[in-house]
Amino acid sequence: MTTALEVARRVVDPELPMLTLDDLGVLREVVEDGAAVRVTITPTYTGCPALAMMRDDLVHALHDHGYAEVRVAVALDPPWSSDWITERGRRALADHGISPPGPARRVDGPVVLDLAPTRRAVRCPRCGSSATELTSEFGSTACKALYRCTACLEPFDHVKEI
Amino acid sequence: MHDDDHQSVYDGLTGGDESRWAFGAGLEAPDDALAGVGAPVPVGVDPHALATYCLMLGDDALVHSHRLSQWCSNAPDLEEDIALANVALDLLGQARLLLARAAVVDPGVVPVLPAGSPVPDEDALAFFRDAAEFRNVRLVEGENGDFAVTVARMLLFATHRLAVLQRLTASADPVLAAIAAKGVKEVAYHRDHAARWCVTLALGTEESRRRVVAGLERVWPFRDELSRTTPVEATAAAQGFGVDPGSVSDEVEAVLDQVLAASGLERPALPPVGEVAGGAGRDGRHTEAMGLLLAEMQVVARAHPLGRW
């Protein structure tokens, strides 16, 4: 018998399909009560358009495994942090050409203005070189920045620290 | 409309698993559970004041988001196009939650639509209110102008909003506190992005400097409205669920001084724009640009109040 938690843990992110929702840190809780399941997820960014897709994927997967009644709730608090991406998730990102995030900056009190380009120790996920430069703080999805490697000259995505 | 009208042209492409396809069929309608905004109103909080306060913060985000989204395919370069669209998306997400929260705590603020309309409350608020019912500051509704005007506006708006959201994380309303905690992380990126562009343009060419000076002069007179405390915000602060916008002035001024110093620019010596009939944006008194903006933003939704998307 496959538990609801096991089923939910296998559901992948719609935009980063190499990553499960569990490895992304979006899957908060799975509570099973007979044929009924209550799943709690959290959005990465407030405007994340993938949230409805995540919910539907969870519902479909659980239905397929015989759970008749599935409810998906969204918890906003505490807010998602890129620190919640698991070690396995970080390896999966790197294996697929996406640079995983460093530690998120801790915010306690006013957020200090940063006028210099964000400095991160980013390695090229393709050739491993640390000779990388930021192209833009904003990338193809809300959670990514754009980088390029000055050694192998390939562009790549970096998951931002939040 | 008959349900057959909603068959997606992409139906044949999904390999029988329509849940894998983001367009057309497959996505269920959004609901309150998805927004996570249904918590009860805390004791000691006036629901109408809370709803109005949520509309102020939500309308600021919605209208600014709409203006930024107008840059899509028009920005100076591809990276900036993507950046402005990302900022707009963050703000649209904040607006959705804030308008949905307003509707939950005081359903009386939601426009009444024809029976059977599938339009969720936050969409009814966004697309079926007239200008006089919008509570956003006038700063965010003005025409985009050139890129330097947008940078200047984003700098003033994001600097103020970041300071407000940071304090709002301690709100007595758990939903506002949660929205703020998430928003702080997002808006910190927006503010720093605008600040870096301000410095870049000011220290760039003679032409870029001329433009950013003109951009700051264009938006500066609308700055006052951000920090002017309305009765609703005074109530919000007194009841512990909101922030008195005047209380963040010192922090905002310090950040702006830092950006202007790095840019080698002076503060524009311009008086604030006056009120209209004794009120301003927070009272629903807007500039001419607002009506045109809403006409574009709302026309499709208003033409199909019973439409399914």
Side-chain angles (χ1 to χ4, degrees):
Chain A
M1 173 69 186
T2 314
T3 67
L5 180 62
E6 285 166 345
V7 175
R9 277 189 169 158
R10 283 203 293 268
V11 175
V12 298
D13 180 81
E15 285 178 343
L16 299 166
M18 73 294 288
L19 216 62
T20 62
L21 295 180
D22 191 35
D23 283 333
L24 186 58
V26 155
L27 187 66
R28 282 271 172 89
E29 193 180 41
V30 180
V31 180
E32 196 174 336
D33 180 15
V37 184
R38 183 181 163 85
V39 182
T40 306
I41 57 175
T42 193
T44 53
Y45 281 71
T46 315
C48 180
L51 202 63
M53 192 66 150
M54 293 176 184
R55 174 193 58 185
D56 291 356
D57 287 353
L58 283 162
V59 171
H60 287 275
L62 286 160
H63 279 172
D64 287 350
H65 283 81
Y67 293 95
E69 192 192 328
V70 181
R71 289 205 45 195
V72 179
V74 170
L76 299 174
D77 179 60
W80 181 83
S81 165
S82 49
D83 289 349
W84 294 359
I85 301 177
T86 62
E87 274 310 313
R88 190 174 61 175
R90 286 162 198 270
R91 279 197 304 276
L93 285 170
D95 287 347
H96 288 80
I98 298 174
S99 158
R105 68 171 159 176
R106 296 269 161 249
V107 177
D108 190 17
V111 188
V112 179
L113 178 73
D114 189 359
L115 284 173
T118 310
R119 290 196 194 287
R120 305 180 176 97
V122 170
R123 283 188 172 277
C124 171
R126 185 175 172 275
C127 73
S129 169
S130 55
T132 57
E133 63 181 30
L134 176 70
T135 307
S136 174
E137 270 303 317
F138 298 89
S140 56
T141 64
C143 57
K144 289 184 248 151
L146 276 176
Y147 271 76
R148 73 174 163 187
C149 174
T150 55
C152 74
L153 304 180
E154 286 293 323
F156 63 91
D157 280 331
H158 171 78
V159 176
K160 281 194 279 195
E161 296 77 15
I162 73 160
Chain B
M1 275 194 255
H2 192 269
D3 266 358
D4 284 351
D5 293 341
H6 303 293
Q7 294 290 312
S8 167
V9 294
Y10 299 107
D11 281 353
L13 302 177
T14 56
D17 180 6
E18 63 178 29
S19 71
R20 296 301 320 156
W21 195 251
F23 306 100
L27 285 182
E28 290 151 44
D31 56 24
D32 282 351
L34 193 61
V37 295
V41 178
V43 175
V45 169
D46 170 31
H48 185 67
L50 174 57
T52 309
Y53 186 68
C54 288
L55 289 179
M56 290 177 173
L57 291 172
D59 288 345
D60 280 354
L62 175 65
V63 173
H64 191 40
S65 170
H66 186 74
R67 280 292 181 218
L68 290 173
S69 72
Q70 290 176 325
W71 277 103
C72 200
S73 81
N74 293 305
D77 59 41
L78 183 58
E79 286 77 14
E80 198 50 37
D81 211 89
I82 293 168
L84 294 176
N86 266 290
V87 174
L89 179 63
D90 285 344
L91 292 170
L92 191 61
Q94 292 175 20
R96 180 184 174 199
L97 294 178
L98 289 161
L99 297 187
R101 181 60 175 159
V104 166
V105 298
D106 183 4
V109 301
V110 183
V112 177
L113 297 185
S117 169
V119 174
D121 287 345
E122 65 268 29
D123 283 11
L125 283 164
F127 299 122
F128 292 86
R129 279 181 300 159
D130 294 329
E133 297 161 285
F134 273 78
R135 299 285 187 150
N136 57 284
V137 290
R138 292 174 291 177
L139 169 72
V140 294
E141 71 200 32
E143 292 281 346
N144 274 332
D146 65 13
F147 179 61
V149 175
T150 287
V151 164
R153 178 179 290 136
M154 189 161 48
L155 175 65
L156 299 190
F157 179 73
T159 303
H160 179 83
R161 190 172 181 88
L162 179 57
V164 169
L165 290 181
Q166 195 253 317
R167 286 160 180 77
L168 204 56
T169 56
S171 172
D173 181 44
V175 176
L176 268 183
I179 295 170
K182 194 132 203 74
V184 163
K185 298 175 172 208
E186 295 166 350
V187 178
Y189 272 101
H190 307 172
R191 181 198 63 181
D192 288 7
H193 186 69
R196 287 168 197 166
W197 263 119
C198 183
V199 175
T200 300
L201 293 174
L203 304 182
T205 65
E206 203 175 306
E207 176 66 5
S208 69
R209 187 177 179 84
R210 180 188 72 74
R211 287 192 183 222
V212 80
V213 167
L216 282 166
E217 287 176 349
R218 167 112 158 244
V219 296
W220 202 263
F222 291 96
R223 209 171 54 104
D224 252 40
E225 208 179 323
L226 284 170
S227 56
R228 203 184 303 154
T229 311
T230 61
V232 169
E233 288 161 314
T235 302
Q239 296 185 358
F241 66 82
V243 177
D244 177 348
S247 70
V248 306
S249 290
D250 288 351
E251 184 184 324
V252 168
E253 298 305 310
V255 171
L256 293 179
D257 280 340
Q258 204 183 335
V259 178
L260 291 172
S263 306
L265 295 174
E266 298 290 325
R267 282 172 168 262
L270 294 166
V273 288
E275 298 188 330
V276 179
R282 296 270 187 249
D283 311 298
R285 308 232 165 77
H286 295 282
T287 60
E288 187 184 1
M290 185 68 177
L292 297 168
L293 179 149
L294 290 183
E296 181 193 275
M297 188 177 88
Q298 298 178 331
V299 61
V300 176
R302 289 209 182 204
H304 304 284
L306 297 173
R308 291 177 184 279
W309 312 101

